Coordinates of all heavy atoms in Angstrom, one line a residue:
A1 N 1.8 -6.3 -3.3 CA 2.3 -7.5 -2.6 C 3.8 -7.2 -2.2 O 4.2 -7.6 -1.1 CB 2.3 -8.7 -3.5
M2 N 4.5 -6.5 -3.1 CA 5.9 -6.1 -2.7 C 5.9 -5.2 -1.5 O 6.7 -5.4 -0.6 CB 6.5 -5.4 -3.9 CG 7.0 -6.2 -5.1 SD 7.8 -5.3 -6.4 CE 9.3 -4.8 -5.6
G3 N 5.0 -4.3 -1.4 CA 4.9 -3.5 -0.2 C 4.5 -4.3 1.0 O 5.0 -4.1 2.1
D4 N 3.5 -5.2 0.8 CA 3.1 -6.0 1.9 C 4.1 -6.9 2.5 O 4.0 -7.4 3.6 CB 1.8 -6.8 1.4 CG 0.9 -7.2 2.6 OD1 1.0 -6.6 3.7 OD2 0.2 -8.2 2.5
Q5 N 5.1 -7.2 1.7 CA 6.2 -8.1 2.1 C 7.4 -7.4 2.5 O 8.5 -7.9 2.8 CB 6.5 -9.1 1.0 CG 5.4 -10.0 0.6 CD 5.5 -10.6 -0.7 OE1 6.5 -10.4 -1.4 NE2 4.5 -11.4 -1.2
G6 N 7.4 -6.0 2.4 CA 8.5 -5.2 2.8 C 9.6 -5.2 1.8 O 10.8 -4.9 2.0
N7 N 9.3 -5.5 0.5 CA 10.2 -5.6 -0.6 C 10.3 -4.3 -1.4 O 10.8 -4.3 -2.5 CB 10.0 -6.8 -1.5 CG 10.2 -8.1 -0.7 OD1 11.1 -8.2 0.1 ND2 9.4 -9.1 -1.0
A8 N 9.7 -3.3 -1.0 CA 9.7 -1.9 -1.6 C 9.7 -0.9 -0.5 O 9.3 -1.1 0.6 CB 8.6 -1.8 -2.6
D9 N 10.1 0.3 -0.9 CA 10.1 1.4 0.0 C 8.9 2.3 -0.2 O 8.4 2.9 0.7 CB 11.4 2.3 -0.2 CG 12.6 1.5 0.0 OD1 12.7 0.8 1.0 OD2 13.5 1.5 -0.9
V10 N 8.5 2.5 -1.5 CA 7.3 3.4 -1.8 C 6.6 2.8 -2.9 O 7.1 2.0 -3.8 CB 7.9 4.8 -2.1 CG1 8.8 4.8 -3.4 CG2 6.8 5.8 -2.3
L11 N 5.2 3.0 -2.9 CA 4.4 2.5 -4.0 C 3.6 3.6 -4.7 O 3.2 4.6 -4.1 CB 3.3 1.6 -3.3 CG 3.7 0.5 -2.3 CD1 2.5 -0.2 -1.7 CD2 4.7 -0.4 -2.9
L12 N 3.5 3.4 -6.1 CA 2.7 4.3 -6.9 C 1.7 3.4 -7.6 O 2.1 2.7 -8.6 CB 3.6 5.1 -7.8 CG 2.8 6.0 -8.8 CD1 2.0 7.1 -8.1 CD2 3.8 6.7 -9.7
V13 N 0.5 3.3 -7.3 CA -0.5 2.3 -7.8 C -1.9 2.8 -8.0 O -2.1 4.0 -7.6 CB -0.5 1.1 -6.8 CG1 0.8 0.3 -6.8 CG2 -0.7 1.6 -5.4
H14 N -2.7 2.0 -8.5 CA -4.1 2.4 -8.9 C -5.1 1.4 -8.6 O -5.9 1.0 -9.6 CB -4.1 3.0 -10.4 CG -3.8 1.9 -11.4 ND1 -4.5 1.8 -12.6 CD2 -2.9 0.9 -11.4 CE1 -4.0 0.8 -13.3 NE2 -3.0 0.2 -12.6
A15 N -5.2 1.0 -7.4 CA -6.3 0.1 -7.0 C -6.7 0.5 -5.6 O -6.4 -0.2 -4.6 CB -5.8 -1.4 -7.0
P16 N -7.5 1.5 -5.6 CA -7.9 2.2 -4.3 C -8.4 1.2 -3.2 O -8.0 1.4 -2.0 CB -8.9 3.2 -4.6 CG -8.5 3.6 -6.0 CD -8.0 2.3 -6.7
A17 N -9.3 0.3 -3.5 CA -9.9 -0.6 -2.5 C -8.8 -1.5 -1.8 O -8.8 -1.7 -0.6 CB -10.9 -1.4 -3.1
D18 N -7.9 -2.0 -2.7 CA -6.8 -2.8 -2.1 C -5.8 -2.0 -1.4 O -5.2 -2.5 -0.4 CB -6.1 -3.6 -3.3 CG -7.2 -4.6 -3.8 OD1 -7.5 -5.6 -3.1 OD2 -7.5 -4.5 -5.0
E19 N -5.6 -0.7 -1.8 CA -4.6 0.1 -1.1 C -5.1 0.3 0.3 O -4.3 0.4 1.3 CB -4.5 1.5 -1.8 CG -3.9 1.3 -3.3 CD -4.2 2.6 -4.1 OE1 -4.4 3.6 -3.5 OE2 -4.2 2.5 -5.3
V20 N -6.4 0.7 0.4 CA -7.0 0.9 1.7 C -6.8 -0.2 2.7 O -6.6 0.0 3.9 CB -8.5 1.3 1.6 CG1 -9.1 1.4 3.0 CG2 -8.6 2.6 0.9
K21 N -6.8 -1.4 2.1 CA -6.6 -2.6 3.0 C -5.2 -2.6 3.6 O -5.0 -3.0 4.8 CB -6.8 -4.0 2.2 CG -8.2 -4.1 1.8 CD -8.4 -5.4 0.9 CE -9.8 -5.6 0.4 NZ -9.8 -6.8 -0.5
L22 N -4.2 -2.2 2.8 CA -2.8 -2.1 3.4 C -2.7 -1.0 4.4 O -2.0 -1.1 5.3 CB -1.9 -1.9 2.2 CG -1.6 -3.1 1.3 CD1 -0.4 -2.8 0.4 CD2 -1.5 -4.4 2.0
V23 N -3.4 0.1 4.2 CA -3.5 1.2 5.1 C -4.0 0.7 6.5 O -3.5 1.0 7.6 CB -4.3 2.4 4.6 CG1 -4.4 3.4 5.7 CG2 -3.6 3.0 3.4
Q24 N -5.2 0.0 6.3 CA -5.8 -0.5 7.6 C -4.9 -1.6 8.3 O -5.0 -1.6 9.6 CB -7.2 -1.1 7.2 CG -8.2 -0.2 6.7 CD -9.4 -0.8 6.1 OE1 -9.4 -1.9 5.8 NE2 -10.5 0.0 6.1
K25 N -4.1 -2.3 7.6 CA -3.2 -3.2 8.2 C -2.0 -2.5 8.8 O -1.2 -3.1 9.6 CB -2.7 -4.2 7.2 CG -3.7 -5.3 6.7 CD -3.1 -6.2 5.6 CE -1.9 -7.0 6.0 NZ -1.4 -7.9 5.0
G26 N -1.8 -1.3 8.5 CA -0.6 -0.6 8.9 C 0.6 -0.9 8.1 O 1.8 -0.5 8.5
T27 N 0.5 -1.5 7.0 CA 1.6 -1.8 6.0 C 2.1 -0.6 5.4 O 3.3 -0.5 5.1 CB 1.2 -2.9 5.0 OG1 0.8 -4.1 5.7 CG2 2.4 -3.3 4.1
V28 N 1.2 0.3 5.0 CA 1.6 1.5 4.3 C 1.1 2.7 5.1 O 0.1 2.7 5.8 CB 1.1 1.6 2.9 CG1 1.7 0.5 2.0 CG2 -0.4 1.6 2.8
I29 N 1.8 3.8 4.9 CA 1.5 5.1 5.6 C 1.6 6.2 4.6 O 2.2 6.1 3.5 CB 2.4 5.3 6.8 CG1 3.9 5.3 6.4 CG2 2.1 4.3 8.0 CD1 4.8 5.7 7.5
N30 N 1.1 7.4 5.0 CA 1.3 8.6 4.2 C 0.7 8.4 2.8 O 1.4 8.8 1.8 CB 2.7 9.0 4.2 CG 2.9 10.5 3.7 OD1 2.0 11.3 3.7 ND2 4.1 10.8 3.3
R31 N -0.5 7.8 2.6 CA -1.1 7.6 1.3 C -1.7 8.9 0.8 O -2.5 9.5 1.5 CB -2.2 6.5 1.4 CG -2.9 6.2 0.2 CD -3.9 5.0 0.4 NE -4.7 4.8 -0.7 CZ -6.0 5.2 -0.8 NH1 -6.5 5.9 0.2 NH2 -6.7 4.8 -1.9
Q32 N -1.2 9.3 -0.4 CA -1.6 10.6 -1.0 C -2.2 10.4 -2.4 O -1.7 9.6 -3.2 CB -0.4 11.5 -1.0 CG 0.2 11.8 0.3 CD -0.6 12.8 1.2 OE1 -1.4 13.5 0.7 NE2 -0.3 12.7 2.5

């Protein structure tokens, strides 16, 4: 949610299905 609101610069997380949703929205890039 912090990433989705622009309140963080980088994320390190462990919920792949929800991460992919943010990738599809264009909210996050360079997911590794």
Side-chain angles (χ1 to χ4, degrees):
M2 286 181 67
D4 202 24
Q5 296 160 7
N7 292 324
D9 302 311
V10 64
L11 312 179
L12 176 62
V13 288
H14 63 139
D18 292 297
E19 297 162 24
V20 169
K21 292 177 184 177
L22 291 193
V23 172
Q24 292 171 341
K25 286 176 62 177
T27 301
V28 297
I29 56 176
N30 195 19
R31 178 174 175 263
Q32 301 285 340

